[in-house]
Amino acid sequence: MQMPAQIRAPSFVSTRRFFQQKLADLHKCNDLNQLRQLHALIYKFNLHKDPFVAPKLISALSLCRQMELAVSVFDQIPSPNVHSFNTLIKAYIRNSEPDKALELFREMRWSGIDPDSYTYLFFLKASTGLNFVKMIHAHVEKCNLYSDVFMPNSLIDAYSKCGLTGFIEAKMLFDVMEERDVVTYNSMISGLVKVGELTEAKKMFDEMPERDWVSWNAILDGYVKAGEMSAAFAIFEKMPSRNVVSWSTVISGYAKNGDMENAKILFDNMPVKNLVAWTIMISAYAEKGLAKEAIKLYHQMEDAGLKLDDGSIVSILSASAESGLLRLGKKVHQSIIRSRYKCGTLISNALIDMYCKSGSLNMAWQIFNTIERKDLVSWNIMIHGLAMHGHGQKALCLFEKMKEEGFAPDEVTFVGILSACSHSGLVKEGLHYFHTMVTDYKTEPQLEHYGCMIDLLGRGGHLNEAFRLLDEMPFEPNVVIWSSLLGACRMHNAVELAEEVLDQLVKLGPGIAGNFSMLSNIYAAAGDWGSVANARLQLRKTASKRASGASSIELNDELHEFTVMDKSHPKSDRIYQTINGLNQHLQRFAPNVVIAESPCF
DNA sequence: TTAGGGTTAG
């Protein structure tokens, strides 16, 4: 049936008006379904080549993580200008692909287009290293791109994220600025907070001419980061008004200080909860190994209709990895698959790390093999994962493959390689790699590398060489290194050396229950029962004074936790029986390996 | 009368 003309006309006008309105706000559109409709209309009216519409469309597509479509829109712009290039550069940076942004930057230069202040502002937002910021700063100076306060503000922010040396540069810029605004002061306050200069930050906060929410939140964060929760809460109460960031800052402060009760009370009472707020709470529960609470909150977040983003995924996954909460990690992974969220390298790396640390090496390996663009971090995580689970040879193979694919190892890679050798008893190989890291890769060994080598030599029974390296290294040995030596003494029944090592450990701080337990076993193996009794007495004193480290494993939705001297688990007798059985079995086939200390108590 | 920008919490 045909509609009367007078009815059809207003409908057409309102559709056009609606479309025009949508085009004006196109770059802010983050709803994929709505964007799909607009995308179709834009192509229908051939507007995708319009120099004003195309960048907006690219921006919206990048917000909805449709980078392939964004690139295809860019490719159809007849002769892209600096603004079009900037929009795609920003899109890449927003989607955690700074390498592609740099490639595009080079392409822009080859096309004869000069970057403008916007180009550098986008790169400053993504930059992490001091040298990179200095390079941009030099370009900005050379081309005199200081048209307004945005550029120096951006430089101050980027510099102050590069540690103390960077902050000194930021301060120099601040001092010579003729015109400062509230953002300049805010950037300086957050910079001071980052380098731990809370007193100076507070001074600047008190001196600044005007304050908005950001200033209050930045100084609030300063007190939270310093662990001064009562001062932080006093500021929180004193603020003229609070937004979701203020609430989240205080909540994360309580959570980090172990006060989950107050964190939860505030979380329940905050007027508006956004993705970050939920992420803070879920990650905090996960970090503390409180699986049930973390998962319950995760479901509530999903029910509230919130969708994960890169930040929340990485945060929850790394918290799950820390405590080995496989079930929560898997839930996040399933959500990613279900929502067809495009997994970048960052997320894939976080997933691999979570699966490695939760013991699902196969899943980690599967994801590792499907990453489109592996970076050094991906290789490092996988090498560490293999090393951690005793697959020393496989870790070394992967290291060789990584080099074949053109990646240069860094100091983190070598920690993985050396620990792979030490966990698999590959003494010769370990010595070889320790040597080549200096000669071939010009990487100066750090305390961690010496630690791996001392552990490797000690486990392998080369106790004298281990002690020699300990004397020669240019660092003071820490608790980890002394503890690994104590373990080596235990393995090779070196009673006198063990006593020396324990003396050093006691000097370093409050006794660690595990070490006395190990010493008592060394005495027991040597048949010195008087000393066994003494060591056990020390152990009881230590264990009652101080919470010792715990191991945990999640089985059938339940978290089981174990500490030294712990017999609280309902199946404790069976567990220790199994450990003893395994140790006896191992002593026949591999006399140098001990799974865990047998219970003496 | 049409574009893109800087600061705070995960």
Side-chain angles (χ1 to χ4, degrees):
Chain A
M1 194 177 72
Q2 198 168 0
M3 300 283 273
Q6 64 269 33
I7 296 181
R8 213 169 45 220
S11 140
F12 175 73
V13 170
S14 67
T15 307
R16 203 178 62 174
R17 204 172 289 151
F18 176 78
F19 186 44
Q20 274 174 344
Q21 179 59 45
K22 284 291 161 196
L23 280 187
D25 293 332
L26 174 62
H27 57 293
K28 293 182 216 156
C29 174
N30 58 4
D31 182 301
L32 186 55
N33 287 332
Q34 214 177 77
L35 182 59
R36 278 194 180 126
Q37 290 171 16
L38 283 168
H39 188 256
L41 279 174
I42 286 166
Y43 271 76
K44 191 177 164 191
F45 294 117
N46 212 23
L47 282 168
H48 58 286
K49 291 178 185 170
D50 184 291
F52 292 102
V53 177
K56 282 189 171 190
L57 184 56
I58 292 172
S59 195
L61 286 165
S62 81
L63 263 182
C64 297
R65 303 184 66 86
Q66 305 295 311
M67 282 309 289
E68 280 163 23
L69 280 176
V71 174
S72 84
V73 173
F74 178 82
D75 287 341
Q76 289 173 70
I77 300 174
S79 42
N81 59 12
V82 64
H83 176 234
S84 317
F85 272 103
N86 285 347
T87 311
L88 191 57
I89 286 174
K90 187 191 171 194
Y92 277 134
I93 287 169
R94 181 188 275 159
N95 280 277
S96 321
E97 294 184 298
D99 293 355
K100 288 188 179 168
L102 266 177
E103 267 173 41
L104 190 69
F105 177 76
R106 291 191 195 104
E107 197 186 314
M108 177 172 109
R109 301 303 301 270
W110 287 327
S111 331
I113 294 170
D114 286 329
D116 63 6
S117 56
Y118 289 94
T119 322
Y120 290 119
L121 286 177
F122 297 143
F123 277 112
L124 280 174
K125 187 123 180 108
S127 70
T128 44
L130 183 59
N131 288 338
F132 194 75
V133 184
K134 277 187 171 167
M135 198 177 72
I136 293 178
H137 191 181
H139 279 283
V140 169
E141 290 277 342
K142 200 175 130 197
C143 308
N144 196 22
L145 292 173
Y146 295 110
S147 53
D148 50 32
V149 74
F150 281 83
M151 184 52 82
N153 280 355
S154 259
L155 280 166
I156 286 177
D157 175 53
Y159 268 129
S160 65
K161 285 185 172 123
C162 303
L164 196 57
T165 330
F167 185 74
I168 292 166
E169 298 280 341
K171 179 75 169 60
M172 275 157 65
L173 267 169
F174 178 82
D175 286 341
V176 298
M177 275 173 84
E178 282 169 13
E179 184 204 340
R180 298 169 187 151
D181 66 1
V182 65
V183 180
T184 322
Y185 282 94
N186 290 343
S187 305
M188 283 298 289
I189 291 170
S190 80
L192 283 162
V193 164
K194 278 192 188 84
V195 294
E197 292 286 346
L198 185 56
T199 317
E200 283 298 309
K202 183 65 172 43
K203 215 173 127 197
M204 190 158 280
F205 176 81
D206 290 335
E207 282 169 5
M208 67 192 291
E210 50 167 331
R211 303 179 191 105
D212 60 10
W213 268 328
V214 180
S215 324
W216 282 95
N217 290 339
I219 198 69
L220 180 65
D221 185 47
Y223 283 95
V224 162
K225 290 231 160 68
E228 293 184 27
M229 281 314 291
S230 42
F233 196 72
I235 289 177
F236 180 72
E237 284 193 306
K238 209 172 115 187
M239 297 175 71
S241 61
R242 306 164 192 103
N243 65 4
V244 64
V245 179
S246 330
W247 284 88
S248 307
T249 306
V250 185
I251 290 171
S252 87
Y254 280 120
K256 282 197 183 102
N257 281 284
D259 186 351
M260 288 309 290
E261 230 172 279
N262 267 324
K264 184 67 168 50
I265 292 171
L266 280 170
F267 179 75
D268 288 340
N269 282 293
M270 70 191 291
V272 182
K273 298 178 181 64
N274 65 0
L275 185 58
V276 177
W278 284 97
T279 307
I280 289 170
M281 279 306 286
I282 295 167
S283 305
Y285 278 130
E287 259 170 44
K288 286 167 183 59
L290 300 164
K292 274 182 202 155
E293 287 84 347
I295 288 167
K296 192 175 153 200
L297 222 53
Y298 185 79
H299 285 305
Q300 284 176 8
M301 182 185 80
E302 282 191 321
D303 292 344
L306 280 104
K307 301 258 176 346
L308 297 170
D309 69 357
D310 272 16
S312 52
I313 294 172
V314 171
S315 180
I316 299 175
L317 282 179
S318 63
S320 312
E322 203 173 302
S323 310
L325 299 189
L326 183 59
R327 198 159 79 102
L328 179 61
K330 268 186 176 167
K331 276 195 185 299
V332 174
H333 192 189
Q334 282 157 0
S335 297
I336 295 171
I337 296 168
R338 238 191 350 258
S339 63
R340 296 195 201 149
Y341 189 84
K342 181 107 173 75
C343 253
T345 310
L346 189 79
I347 303 286
S348 304
N349 289 349
L351 278 170
I352 299 171
D353 193 42
M354 183 277 294
Y355 278 118
C356 279
K357 289 186 177 142
S358 313
S360 294
L361 212 54
N362 284 341
M363 269 310 289
W365 184 245
Q366 242 177 51
I367 298 168
F368 177 77
N369 284 313
T370 53
I371 303 185
E372 229 174 87
R373 286 164 80 106
K374 292 187 186 67
D375 62 9
L376 185 60
V377 178
S378 328
W379 292 94
N380 284 351
I381 291 172
M382 202 60 236
I383 289 172
H384 270 90
L386 288 166
M388 214 191 298
H389 290 92
H391 300 284
Q393 288 292 0
K394 281 187 190 158
L396 299 185
C397 282
L398 200 66
F399 177 60
E400 295 304 322
K401 195 159 173 246
M402 164 188 146
K403 286 190 289 181
E404 277 167 25
E405 295 201 8
F407 286 90
D410 67 355
E411 56 277 10
V412 182
T413 322
F414 280 107
V415 174
I417 289 302
L418 298 179
S419 70
C421 294
S422 89
H423 282 95
S424 302
L426 305 167
V427 179
K428 211 175 80 195
E429 289 83 349
L431 285 166
H432 165 75
Y433 285 115
F434 188 61
H435 183 67
T436 57
M437 75 177 276
V438 183
T439 54
D440 298 3
Y441 298 100
K442 313 285 177 240
T443 312
E444 210 47 51
Q446 302 297 306
L447 183 66
E448 292 80 10
H449 302 106
Y450 281 103
C452 289
M453 288 309 291
I454 290 166
D455 190 46
L456 170 75
L457 291 165
R459 279 176 197 251
H462 309 281
L463 282 168
N464 289 337
E465 282 84 349
F467 274 92
R468 197 179 307 139
L469 190 61
L470 184 102
D471 287 335
E472 283 172 5
M473 69 177 190
F475 303 98
E476 282 300 312
N478 60 9
V479 176
V480 180
I481 293 184
W482 286 118
S483 302
S484 93
L485 270 174
L486 190 63
C489 293
R490 157 78 180 98
M491 265 181 203
H492 303 288
N493 298 324
V495 181
E496 280 173 24
L497 279 176
E499 282 172 344
E500 269 181 45
V501 172
L502 199 75
D503 278 348
Q504 296 296 334
L505 273 168
V506 171
K507 272 185 208 160
L508 275 177
I512 295 163
N515 292 323
F516 286 105
S517 157
M518 207 181 275
L519 189 70
S520 92
N521 283 305
I522 296 173
Y523 289 134
D528 183 353
W529 298 107
S531 304
V532 169
N534 190 30
R536 284 180 193 175
L537 191 69
Q538 291 292 334
L539 172 54
R540 281 205 188 90
K541 278 188 199 162
T542 317
S544 59
K545 248 190 258 168
R546 174 179 189 281
S548 38
S551 304
S552 58
I553 186 168
E554 197 181 336
L555 273 179
N556 302 329
D557 299 349
E558 207 181 325
L559 198 79
H560 304 265
E561 204 174 66
F562 303 93
T563 54
V564 168
M565 274 184 83
D566 186 6
K567 289 191 87 177
S568 58
H569 194 277
K571 291 186 179 170
S572 180
D573 287 346
R574 271 227 33 224
I575 292 166
Y576 282 119
Q577 230 173 25
T578 310
I579 293 173
N580 281 337
L582 282 168
N583 274 335
Q584 278 166 14
H585 193 71
L586 274 166
Q587 275 194 335
R588 281 179 56 206
F589 300 102
N592 288 342
V593 180
V594 177
I595 289 189
E597 293 309 315
S598 42
C600 317
F601 306 91

